[in-house]
Amino acid sequence: AGGGRMLERLRKWYYNAAGFNKLGLMRDDTLNEDEDVKEALKRLPEHLYNERVFRIKRALDLSLKHQILPKDQWVKYEEDHPYLEPYLKEVIRERQEREAWNKK
């Protein structure tokens, strides 16, 4: 149990050290947009996609101004949920299935 708490503290520290949360971004906003991610983005419900676009545009604006959000607006580790992950897992599973089928 003690090791689990230590690992969780390390994850939280790393999350904050990465800095994207200070721009209002979530972890899934920072994924490299390869073909799988692009396909997963197409499958997002409109409101999730719009929220992502807003966060990215705000982060770009802040970055250009060399600013960060006020601390009370930073995305907290506990609030960051993997909104894209279920769609991405599905896309990857489908791609792997297609690749396996094409090898036959």
Side-chain angles (χ1 to χ4, degrees), residues 19-70:
F20 57 82
N21 64 320
K22 297 172 185 169
L23 297 171
L25 293 172
M26 299 176 104
R27 195 174 351 204
D28 281 0
D29 297 334
T30 65
L31 292 174
N32 183 32
E33 287 193 24
D34 61 15
E35 292 306 312
D36 290 338
V37 172
K38 287 178 184 176
E39 180 58 34
L41 288 170
K42 291 177 186 175
R43 299 179 184 195
L44 273 179
E46 187 175 2
H47 74 280
L48 289 178
Y49 182 80
N50 290 340
E51 290 169 5
R52 173 189 166 89
V53 169
F54 171 79
R55 287 190 302 270
I56 291 172
K57 284 184 176 183
R58 177 180 58 187
L60 287 170
D61 183 56
L62 288 165
S63 182
L64 288 171
K65 296 175 181 175
H66 300 284
Q67 296 175 347
I68 59 173
L69 290 170

Side-chain angles (χ1 to χ4, degrees), residues 95-104:
R95 178 180 48 78
Q96 290 172 338
E97 200 174 282
R98 263 192 321 275
E99 289 170 354
W101 182 258
N102 289 336
K103 285 181 182 177
K104 291 182 179 180

Side-chain angles (χ1 to χ4, degrees), residues 82-98:
Y83 67 91
L84 190 59
E85 187 177 314
Y87 301 94
L88 185 57
K89 282 182 178 179
E90 181 180 313
V91 167
I92 292 170
R93 183 188 55 75
E94 289 172 3
R95 178 180 48 78
Q96 290 172 338
E97 200 174 282
R98 263 192 321 275

Side-chain angles (χ1 to χ4, degrees), residues 66-83:
H66 300 284
Q67 296 175 347
I68 59 173
L69 290 170
K71 193 166 185 166
D72 64 333
Q73 294 181 33
W74 293 2
V75 177
K76 294 171 187 61
Y77 176 80
E78 299 79 15
E79 297 170 351
D80 191 331
H81 59 281
Y83 67 91

